Amino acid sequence: MDHDTRLNRPREHCQGRRRAALACHCLPLVLALGLGGCVQGGGLTPMGESLVAPWRGSDAAARAAALPYASLAMTSDGNEALMVMAHRSGDSGRDTYWQAGDRATLHLRDGLPMTSAGFEATLLGQWREASDASGRYRLHAHWRDGDGTEHRATASVSLACDAPRPRALPLTTLALEPCTEHLHWPDGKRTTNRLWRDPDSRRVWAGDVTAWPGGQRLRWQVARPWWTDAEDIASRTTPDETPD
């Protein structure tokens, strides 16, 4: 399509979009227990075996290629995982929920981290306000540290994006805008986030972010996307974040 700036996209990359890893009736068990259930007695179903086996490999691209489901390659605190989409909901499907083989879960809203579970610290909520005329906005973060203490903070953010350039992803190479968020927190700390997005739809394909000041670093890349080309046309601007 004329609006599409994707490069060298293999055919398999288009397969499995928007497909969740597990049927809806298994989702509550998956989110609670990881991928070891969906049958009575605790054994793995054939579906479960197909999901767990690729995580035992060492190469994220190979693992993603072995699964026909929407997936993310994720790293945090030196740990690597292939996360598979377990559920999609919200207005226009903007909320997606991802599961790793070790039971860690990540909730993305508009392709950006919103909440997490199963990590050393827990992201309880994060959202961005609408930008002003100068392109600046505010980011709100709510998290629980490893000791169980909850924190809240709001950063002033400025965003700058460069011209699109090729970026290698697990299953393809795309022309993406490299964008930098400069965050200024009230305690004087400054952090920097990096995002790579489609210049037309502004879909986020990869990120390298600190969820809160002094917090864990989350790095992810989309392996198989969960949206369609038709949705790209309808989402040329990213919806503004609003708190739950």
Side-chain angles (χ1 to χ4, degrees):
M1 300 179 67
D2 292 339
H3 76 283
D4 201 344
T5 60
R6 302 171 191 177
L7 304 177
N8 304 327
R9 181 174 61 193
R11 181 177 180 182
E12 69 171 11
H13 182 74
C14 300
Q15 298 174 353
R17 288 182 171 179
R18 299 187 62 189
R19 293 180 63 184
L22 299 165
C24 293
H25 68 274
C26 290
L27 178 63
L29 180 59
V30 172
L31 296 179
L33 300 178
L35 295 173
C38 281
V39 294
Q40 293 183 350
L44 283 172
T45 63
M47 174 72 78
E49 287 286 359
S50 71
L51 291 170
V52 173
W55 276 306
R56 296 174 181 145
S58 59
D59 181 70
R63 286 177 284 167
L67 292 174
Y69 309 108
S71 57
L72 303 174
M74 165 70 71
T75 63
S76 180
D77 295 331
N79 298 313
E80 299 183 4
L82 182 71
M83 307 191 83
V84 175
M85 189 175 74
H87 187 55
R88 187 181 184 192
S89 64
D91 187 20
S92 299
R94 65 189 302 205
D95 292 292
T96 56
Y97 299 84
W98 304 82
Q99 185 96 43
D102 63 356
R103 305 181 186 180
T105 59
L106 181 67
H107 166 199
L108 300 183
R109 174 166 291 176
D110 301 324
L112 296 170
M114 181 70 177
T115 64
S116 70
F119 296 84
E120 182 176 350
T122 302
L123 180 61
L124 298 174
Q126 181 172 273
W127 58 93
R128 291 160 174 77
E129 292 181 2
S131 60
D132 59 22
S134 64
R136 297 177 181 271
Y137 48 93
R138 299 173 73 81
L139 180 145
H140 303 269
H142 179 200
W143 71 96
R144 180 188 299 117
D145 61 28
D147 296 327
T149 304
E150 291 191 23
H151 307 267
R152 295 177 184 267
T154 300
S156 299
V157 186
S158 61
L159 177 70
C161 296
D162 295 328
R165 64 188 67 166
R167 178 174 174 84
L169 298 166
L171 297 180
T172 191
T173 297
L174 304 179
L176 301 176
E177 289 180 335
C179 299
T180 303
E181 283 186 323
H182 297 282
L183 296 91
H184 302 262
W185 300 92
D187 59 1
K189 292 183 178 178
R190 298 187 178 188
T191 58
T192 301
N193 293 339
R194 295 278 286 166
L195 304 170
W196 288 264
R197 70 185 191 184
D198 184 285
D200 295 325
S201 68
R202 297 194 179 180
R203 294 276 189 185
V204 177
W205 281 83
D208 181 354
V209 308
T210 299
W212 58 83
Q216 60 196 6
R217 198 78 182 171
L218 299 176
R219 298 179 176 89
W220 76 95
Q221 298 183 89
V222 175
R224 290 189 188 275
W226 57 95
W227 61 85
T228 64
D229 286 340
E231 287 178 287
D232 270 352
I233 296 174
S235 62
R236 291 184 180 274
T237 58
T238 302
D240 296 328
E241 288 289 358
T242 54
D244 290 343

